[in-house]
Amino acid sequence: MGTIEIEFAPHWVNAALVRALARPFITIDGVEHRQSWTASSTYALEPGSHDLTAFIRYRGTRAALGTGRRTVSIDAGEHVSLRARNGWANHMPFELELRLTPTRDV
């Protein structure tokens, strides 16, 4: 097994708005997980390629906004850390940025 860590960090221009009114989500291979603005989440995954999608939903809605995608390959025993950061406007997609990871060359 490998692990993937996801952190959501809103853009400074709209951070106050999205933190108060929206909730972050990540899908991993089609399975949706609610995230936090203040703490990262770690998931155990089988080695191989995994499809990730990051987005927000305003409270009380089902529409996914700012959808950003990335495919990540994980080896057995590897820990991969990603930061999901949106653009300054809500319609701009999240970018899933690879953070420095001890077991991976960047």
Side-chain angles (χ1 to χ4, degrees), residues 70-85:
R70 182 177 185 140
T71 301
V72 175
S73 293
I74 298 176
D75 294 328
E78 184 176 28
H79 177 80
V80 175
S81 182
L82 296 167
R83 177 179 291 133
R85 186 178 298 278

Side-chain angles (χ1 to χ4, degrees), residues 9-78:
H11 192 281
W12 66 270
V13 169
N14 61 9
L17 175 72
V18 296
R19 280 188 175 135
L21 301 176
R23 301 204 172 169
F25 290 85
I26 189 84
T27 62
I28 302 172
D29 299 328
V31 178
E32 187 175 293
H33 304 275
R34 184 172 162 197
Q35 298 294 119
S36 168
W37 290 115
T38 59
S40 61
S41 297
T42 303
Y43 302 94
L45 299 174
E46 294 292 330
S49 183
H50 299 277
D51 295 320
L52 309 175
T53 305
F55 59 93
I56 59 171
R57 282 195 183 114
Y58 280 100
R59 295 171 194 247
T61 69
R62 297 292 303 154
L65 299 175
T67 301
R69 293 178 173 82
R70 182 177 185 140
T71 301
V72 175
S73 293
I74 298 176
D75 294 328
E78 184 176 28

Side-chain angles (χ1 to χ4, degrees), residues 4-7 52 72 80-84 97-99:
I4 189 164
E5 178 184 13
I6 309 287
E7 171 191 46
L52 309 175
V72 175
V80 175
S81 182
L82 296 167
R83 177 179 291 133
E97 306 163 345
L98 189 62
R99 299 175 72 198

Side-chain angles (χ1 to χ4, degrees), residues 80-103:
V80 175
S81 182
L82 296 167
R83 177 179 291 133
R85 186 178 298 278
N86 63 328
W88 62 269
N90 292 344
H91 69 280
M92 294 176 163
F94 276 85
E95 291 184 29
L96 287 154
E97 306 163 345
L98 189 62
R99 299 175 72 198
L100 292 180
T101 304
T103 60

